[in-house]
Amino acid sequence: DLSTEEGIKKAIETGAKKDELYKAAKVYFDRGRFGNKYVGFIAYPKGNWILFNDPDTSLTAFQIARGTDIYTLDALMMERKQRKTDSQIAAEIINNLYIGYKEAGHTESGLVRKSVVINGYKGEQLTVKNISGKSLVINVVVSGNKIYFISVEGVPSHIGEMMKWVINSWNPDK
């Protein structure tokens, strides 16, 4: 919240840390890839995209924006899978997100869950329609000991094209 002194301080701190991460990832940007070895990669989208820092995201989140359209890549490490499959873990996360959005007042018709394959990696997806006129698609892929979050947010008419970009180019390693 940039209306408070604490919020401004947090934004400055996270901005400085993210600047370091983005500088370290420049070698990938130069090769046409957006992301890093921790959060995974997508092909750098065509057009005028700028690095974006939402102070409310994790310190590891990588974001680029063009207007109100935003790509976000992030990941969490897992200690252990507790005998669950990658698909079960991804489905649990999406179901918890679904419940959270429903409890926040979103209608069932505005929330769509489905399985997805992103560049050969199986995952789960939640689409949240009409968040202040925008749509959000959260994709969760579990690979190895990481949970990857690959999200697109923006004008509803742009989401399909943005998701195609993700589906065709996301990779956890390169």
Side-chain angles (χ1 to χ4, degrees):
D1 181 8
L2 295 177
S3 65
T4 66
E5 191 174 317
E6 187 179 310
I8 292 168
K9 196 175 187 180
K10 180 183 174 188
I12 292 168
E13 286 173 13
T14 60
K17 288 177 182 169
K18 292 231 178 155
D19 279 349
E20 289 175 32
L21 288 174
Y22 287 139
K23 282 178 188 161
K26 188 176 181 327
V27 62
Y28 304 115
F29 301 165
D30 292 344
R31 290 190 219 139
R33 301 296 284 167
F34 175 74
N36 67 25
K37 292 254 183 223
Y38 185 74
V39 301
F41 300 88
I42 60 170
Y44 211 100
K46 292 176 175 62
N48 295 322
W49 293 85
I50 58 166
L51 297 174
F52 176 71
N53 175 31
D54 177 347
D56 292 328
T57 61
S58 75
L59 283 176
T60 55
F62 257 52
Q63 296 180 294
I64 48 175
R66 182 176 67 195
T68 59
D69 294 343
I70 304 167
Y71 287 94
T72 303
L73 304 177
D74 205 354
L76 293 172
M77 297 291 285
M78 277 186 296
E79 291 289 320
R80 55 191 167 285
K81 295 184 180 181
Q82 300 173 333
R83 299 180 190 212
K84 294 178 183 170
T85 66
D86 292 350
S87 295
Q88 287 172 321
I89 295 167
E92 268 183 34
I93 292 166
I94 289 296
N95 286 335
N96 287 335
L97 288 168
Y98 176 89
I99 291 165
Y101 279 102
K102 203 167 168 210
E103 288 175 353
H106 291 272
T107 61
E108 281 189 39
S109 63
L111 299 169
V112 180
R113 290 178 286 191
K114 71 177 192 175
S115 295
V116 66
V117 177
I118 298 180
N119 202 18
Y121 294 86
K122 291 181 181 176
E124 295 294 321
Q125 181 182 88
L126 175 65
T127 300
V128 185
K129 299 175 185 173
N130 198 16
I131 304 175
S132 305
K134 296 189 293 183
S135 291
L136 169 65
V137 181
I138 304 165
N139 301 282
V140 175
V141 173
V142 178
S143 182
N145 64 341
K146 285 188 189 172
I147 303 166
Y148 293 94
F149 296 87
I150 309 110
S151 303
V152 299
E153 175 183 351
V155 177
S157 61
H158 298 174
I159 291 293
E161 208 49 46
M162 292 172 74
M163 271 309 302
K164 277 185 201 165
W165 199 258
V166 166
I167 285 171
N168 293 325
S169 74
W170 182 81
N171 186 290
D173 303 312
K174 57 185 181 190

